[in-house]
Amino acid sequence: MMHLKETELCLGLPGGGCEADTALKVTGKRGYSQTVDLMLNLQTNDQSSSTDLNDNKLQNSTKNNKDPIKPPAKAQVVGWPPVRNYRKNVMAQKSNNEETEKVVAATAGGGSVAAFVKVSMDGAPYLRKVDLKLYESYQQLSDALAKMFSSFTMGDYGSQGMIDFMNESKLMDLLNSSEYVPSYEDKDGDWMLVGDVPWQMFVESCKRLRIMKGSDAIGLAPRAMAKCKNRC
Amino acid sequence: MFPEEVLEHVFSFLNSHTDRNTASLVCKSWYEMERWCRKRVFIGNCYAVNPRVVIRRFPEVKSVELKGKPHFADFNLVPEGWGGYVYPWIVEIARAYPWLEEIRLKRMVVTDECLEIVAKSFRNFRVLVLESCEGFSTDGLAAVAANCRNLRVLDLRECEVEELSGHWLSHFPDSFTSLESLNMACLGSEVSFSALERLVARSPNLKTLRLNRTVPIEKLSTLLQRAPQLVDFGTGAYSAEIRQDVYSRLADAFSRSKNLKSLSGFWDVTPAYLPAIYSVCSQLTSLNLSYAATRSPDLTKIVSQCYNLQRLVVLDYIEDTGLNTVSMSCKDLRELVVFPSDPFVGEVDVLLTEQGLVSVSQGCSKLQSVLYFCHQMSNSALISISKNRPNLTCFRLCIIEPRVPDYVTHEPLDVGFGSIVENCKQLTRLSMSGLLTDRVFEYIGTHAKNLDMLSIAFAGDSDLGLHHVLSGCDSLRKLEIRDCPFGDKALLANASKLEKMRSLWMSSCLVSFGACKLLGQKMPGLNVEVIDERENVNSLPEYVPVEKVYIYRTVSGQRFDTPDFVRIMGKDKDDLFSDKGLKVAVLFCSNFGTFRPCCCTRSRSL
């Protein structure tokens, strides 16, 4: 049975529940930068470095006393580091190919070597890496991803830890929603929904992870089901 | 008084725009003389002046160069639809300069209609350079190819082109033989290889050929053989299954390219094919391997043979060891660019540190220009670099994590950057990063007297920082700031300075609506553009900081092609952001002085 918790994207600080509404009021726009802020440990107001500039050249100037009106949270990490779009796209592809080599080397060398894969989440400007060998089930992976991406959870995977692909209507409901689903790129270069194969098989074939909107993942389902049918 | 012919002859030796501008200010007759014989016009901000004014002053122009969006548009800080439309310019110059030969545009919105006008209006059109432009498709290119009989240069640098088909290249007629330079590296679609080959074969003056990714490595040797006179070559995707025959042909073709001085491209590199270029390495003055995602040993092997290299663009895969080799082998190096291979991932598994840059600064005595991305820096490294290379003119350092201190002492990097501006007296361009307080700005204001362009991010403590820069940097023309606690006081106190600069960009700072309005009211020579996309923007009180403000000097007053999220402050009575809707560009009809509204041709519909 497939149970995927409400994965409504909450763009507030972790542990604080859904604060997207609050963020909206302040900025009028999504405030995901607040979340990313925390992950990067950006401190806008704490860098009170020593400035022994007693010669105050500016008349009537008071040192900026960390104004209560903060600048809008938006755009704090947009455009940083200053690398142009086409370069980002190119390198993302390149790193992907590199990752393949790493994972292949790892699994070829023996079971104890790490299996790092990149995890991206649509909308977040930073990627993370996870070592799949650290986990023993989809549930554990889900918990780790939840910690990494704050409010994202994958919910329960049932006793075998697999999405019930046979329940087509439930699957389609999920994929039609704006909730987030995890997908992965396998050895063949295909993008699949996470949870369709037994855990060990997943660890060995997963090259990278991408947490994407359900509606974007809609194209994956038929492929996933076909592959599953071929394997089962 | 010199007779006109003598003056004209003297002026013909003045090529730089600044020299010509200065000469034109000497006296009225020099002004008149100069304006009639100026052939090349450079406008650094397309909104600083009206095209008709330019045309009225310079009637005999052969080359026009325009820049549009601010630099931070490169990093997605300028929202789509902000402006920078070249259409009004194209319409005017098409009418006024039928013998125009060259157009160079940077960060502008260029539509297919613009390209069609260009293609049909200038009988002797020779040079089209579009850098970081967008808004056109391959259809526009087809029009240029089909109609510009005397075209010499078609250079598309890092443009965003709508790819309808690769067929545009086939529109160059068989009678077209004047091509000297073709740069299509930014295009994604495949062109007909036979059309490309025939074009290359019938272009005896072709010196620059930069292919796009779709041209396979197997075909490179064919092209190189057709054009042994090539000086600047950009490969396509540099990968294939390893085949001895393909490799040999390629290596052979490179070895015969005796004139080759510049190489680029190298997407999707298969390392085994890299040695094919070894035979030309010692000839190269410019090498761009910034798409070659291959490890340090491969890269090092190449650069170790590039004894004459002046410009190197590479990824951080080169690592400190590779840069050490550069410092020992590339003694003529003038410019070093190191891009990050993985800008957005937290973990670092590439061994490129500040050490690499220090080595190059030690070994390469002619090094003038640096753009360097890394993860750590120290004051002592910066001090060493500044002492090694006092001849630096451009120093751009990006430490990837914002606000990172000296990794050894954990102090801010003020002293390090201070040393750079103090020792490098010819520094004209500086970009800083890492943990920086107001102190570094004091150093900059005190020492950086030749600084022309400064980029600041996540730095400073107070308005004092901004004040130091604006009051101290005598030569400053372009200042761009993001995410710094700079606000109203420094800005307003230095309002008159802003008229001596081309532009100031501030985003995610503490400049309020009220201050922007005041500045716009008090300074008629400035456009103070507030760029703010918040839905509730019209109801925000005046003391709230704006999202972004772009201030530039202009003699043409406010512009009328702004989208709803841009507001030019201090000019209207109501001072409100307008409703969403199609904005019209207002063009003055030059003969009758009446308004003739026409829709601004947009790249994307609203």
Side-chain angles (χ1 to χ4, degrees), chain B residues 544-601:
Chain B
V544 167
V546 303
E547 283 189 338
K548 302 167 187 177
V549 60
Y550 181 50
I551 303 167
Y552 54 89
R553 67 178 173 187
T554 178
V555 294
S556 70
Q558 64 175 123
R559 60 185 177 110
F560 295 99
D561 60 355
T562 50
D564 55 3
F565 54 82
V566 173
R567 184 164 132 202
I568 302 182
M569 306 294 283
K571 307 276 192 245
D572 315 316
K573 261 194 219 167
D574 290 332
D575 255 357
L576 285 175
F577 284 79
S578 68
D579 295 327
K580 282 190 204 269
L582 191 64
K583 285 288 243 182
V584 295
V586 178
L587 293 180
F588 285 85
C589 175
S590 57
N591 291 330
F592 303 105
T594 54
F595 288 90
R596 187 161 65 84
C598 91
C599 279
C600 227
T601 327

Side-chain angles (χ1 to χ4, degrees), chain B residues 64-65 69 136 143 146 153 162 168 177 194 203 215 260 490-491 525 555:
Chain B
V64 172
E65 185 175 347
K69 300 182 202 172
F136 60 100
V153 174
E162 195 188 342
W168 66 273
T177 58
S194 62
S203 305
V215 179
L260 215 50
L491 194 64
V555 294

Side-chain angles (χ1 to χ4, degrees), chain B residues 208-220:
Chain B
T208 297
L209 178 63
R210 295 195 182 184
L211 305 170
N212 72 355
R213 213 165 170 165
T214 63
V215 179
I217 196 173
E218 297 90 353
K219 300 264 169 73
L220 295 182

Side-chain angles (χ1 to χ4, degrees), chain B residues 431-555:
Chain B
S431 301
M432 307 190 293
S433 53
L435 182 63
L436 297 164
T437 72
D438 283 348
R439 173 156 241 159
V440 73
F441 299 111
E442 194 188 0
Y443 294 141
I444 291 173
T446 308
H447 296 287
K449 295 304 181 187
N450 285 316
L451 199 64
D452 173 275
M453 182 170 180
L454 178 62
S455 310
I456 309 169
F458 304 104
D461 308 308
S462 73
D463 274 49
L464 206 49
L466 179 58
H467 176 70
H468 284 309
V469 171
L470 288 176
S471 59
C473 296
D474 301 331
S475 311
L476 193 66
R477 285 187 318 119
K478 291 171 278 181
L479 179 57
E480 49 186 21
I481 303 171
R482 62 163 296 174
D483 293 274
C484 296
F486 299 150
D488 301 346
K489 291 190 188 70
L491 194 64
L492 294 173
N494 291 281
S496 56
K497 168 75 171 181
L498 299 177
E499 270 187 339
K500 300 195 189 82
M501 294 167 56
R502 181 188 295 173
S503 65
L504 167 62
W505 169 280
M506 294 179 73
S507 56
S508 303
C509 296
L510 296 173
V511 179
S512 68
F513 283 97
C516 293
K517 187 164 157 186
L518 189 61
L519 192 62
Q521 283 166 348
K522 297 287 181 199
M523 309 290 293
L526 296 178
N527 275 353
V528 180
E529 292 196 12
V530 167
I531 301 165
D532 203 310
E533 293 175 281
R534 287 176 280 194
E535 280 155 22
N536 55 342
V537 65
N538 281 331
S539 57
L540 292 172
E542 290 214 329
Y543 58 80
V544 167
V546 303
E547 283 189 338
K548 302 167 187 177
V549 60
Y550 181 50
I551 303 167
Y552 54 89
R553 67 178 173 187
T554 178
V555 294

Side-chain angles (χ1 to χ4, degrees), chain A residues 70-129:
Chain A
K70 274 186 69 177
K74 179 195 155 100
Q76 266 193 327
V77 288
V78 168
W80 190 267
V83 170
R84 299 198 58 192
N85 286 336
Y86 61 86
R87 187 162 284 287
K88 284 186 239 171
N89 296 335
V90 166
M91 292 331 299
Q93 236 185 37
K94 283 325 299 164
S95 321
N96 197 24
N97 294 342
E98 273 211 329
E99 225 19 84
T100 319
E101 289 161 27
K102 267 194 197 156
V103 174
V104 167
T107 49
S112 55
V113 183
F116 276 105
V117 297
K118 289 210 174 97
V119 189
S120 64
M121 179 156 159
D122 286 1
Y126 277 74
L127 302 182
R128 302 302 305 268
K129 264 187 187 161

